[in-house]
Amino acid sequence: MNFLERTICIRDDIYPKEVDTIIGIGIDLSKDGNKASPYSTAVAMKCLELLKSDTSKNLILSGGYCLKNKNEAQAMLEIIQKVIPKEKKYI
């Protein structure tokens, strides 16, 4: 295997077992502005994973970039809104 074909593995940072609140910061919207970008989707999915693992009971989604009257936080909320109780979410 030559240098360019080698697989590089970067492990996630170790998270604390419990935190007061998880904060998800949006990273752009899709080109048409109707949904979260792949990066914002990854952030939303990681937040969902942490919530399901009982790392925290609260979630704050943030992101102010706006297209077509939708911002990054709203786009991420659409991804996870059916899974997380409304009282646990803040935009």
Side-chain angles (χ1 to χ4, degrees):
M1 180 182 312
N2 72 36
F3 175 73
L4 295 176
E5 295 175 352
R6 188 173 41 158
T7 302
I8 298 173
C9 179
I10 301 172
R11 296 180 184 209
D12 284 339
D13 293 339
I14 297 172
Y15 296 106
K17 291 183 179 186
E18 190 174 318
V19 296
D20 292 330
T21 303
I22 298 165
I23 301 173
I25 300 174
I27 308 167
D28 210 3
L29 294 167
S30 63
K31 288 183 181 181
D32 63 6
N34 290 325
K35 61 183 181 178
S37 71
Y39 296 116
S40 291
T41 299
V43 170
M45 298 308 292
K46 189 61 174 184
C47 289
L48 184 58
E49 175 188 326
L50 291 170
L51 285 167
K52 285 183 174 182
S53 70
D54 290 329
T55 301
S56 178
K57 294 183 180 357
N58 299 299
L59 170 62
I60 297 174
L61 297 174
S62 178
Y65 180 66
C66 188
L67 282 175
K68 298 183 180 180
N69 296 322
K70 183 181 292 186
N71 64 38
E72 297 156 326
Q74 291 167 327
M76 290 189 300
L77 180 59
E78 287 177 0
I79 294 169
I80 61 173
Q81 68 184 351
K82 295 179 182 168
V83 180
I84 305 302
K86 186 174 183 176
E87 64 273 5
K88 303 289 183 180
K89 298 176 282 198
Y90 305 95
I91 297 180

